[in-house]
Amino acid sequence: MPEYQLKFTEEDESRQRILNELLMFINIMDNRPLAVTTLTKEQSENWDKEGDIDYQDAYGRQIIEQFNDDITETLIICDFNALPVALAALDNKKSWQAIGIDKRLRVEIASVLKIEYIEFDPQISKK
């Protein structure tokens, strides 16, 4: 029987690299005071749009401002379907650092974060 080797495409490697970055960020968040917030339907629809306005940055800054409370150290931002779209954490200098979650990875990250209050539709992540 011939030997087979796994071949990874550039897309697979990129996906794994991004997933690893997200997992490292989640580890930074572990065991720290957490808040979870959900975007409105309109914000969710705009979140991934590209154009003159960087909605992720604009909405992210507005949301983070609401959690400058000396208690919250980490934040999960979810879309209207309760899938995580971004993570944020305070660094040692008390500045917020954030990372966006590619829509193709949102269901996977939701399961890593153990967001169990919704049944995830795998088709959502393919849109």
Side-chain angles (χ1 to χ4, degrees):
M1 179 176 222
E3 287 186 34
Y4 292 93
Q5 289 185 322
L6 292 176
K7 290 186 179 180
F8 295 99
T9 64
E10 285 183 29
E11 184 177 316
D12 290 335
E13 289 174 1
S14 175
R15 178 184 171 95
Q16 189 59 50
R17 182 182 48 77
I18 293 167
L19 190 56
N20 289 342
E21 287 177 22
L22 287 166
L23 293 174
M24 286 190 307
F25 200 92
I26 290 168
N27 284 335
I28 292 169
M29 297 172 66
D30 199 27
N31 294 318
R32 295 173 66 194
L34 170 71
V36 179
T37 189
T38 303
L39 299 171
T40 65
K41 186 173 183 177
E42 179 184 350
Q43 289 171 324
S44 295
E45 290 168 354
N46 290 332
W47 186 264
D48 292 310
K49 283 185 180 175
E50 292 187 21
D52 293 338
I53 300 171
D54 184 346
Y55 288 103
Q56 292 179 14
D57 183 60
Y59 294 150
R61 288 179 188 275
Q62 291 170 9
I63 290 166
I64 285 173
E65 279 297 313
Q66 297 172 22
F67 290 95
N68 277 332
D69 57 14
D70 294 327
I71 298 170
T72 305
E73 294 181 17
T74 60
L75 178 64
I76 300 172
I77 302 172
C78 294
D79 66 10
F80 193 69
N81 295 311
L83 291 172
V85 295
L87 308 172
L90 281 173
D91 64 15
N92 294 337
K93 298 175 186 173
K94 299 292 183 189
S95 295
W96 285 95
Q97 302 299 313
I99 186 168
I101 302 171
D102 184 283
K103 57 183 157 184
R104 294 168 293 181
L105 297 172
R106 291 177 184 163
V107 171
E108 289 175 79
I109 295 301
S111 57
V112 168
L113 295 170
K114 296 180 176 75
I115 299 175
E116 298 172 352
Y117 53 88
I118 187 168
E119 236 180 86
F120 295 107
D121 178 354
Q123 293 303 310
I124 292 172
S125 64
K126 294 180 182 174
K127 292 181 181 175

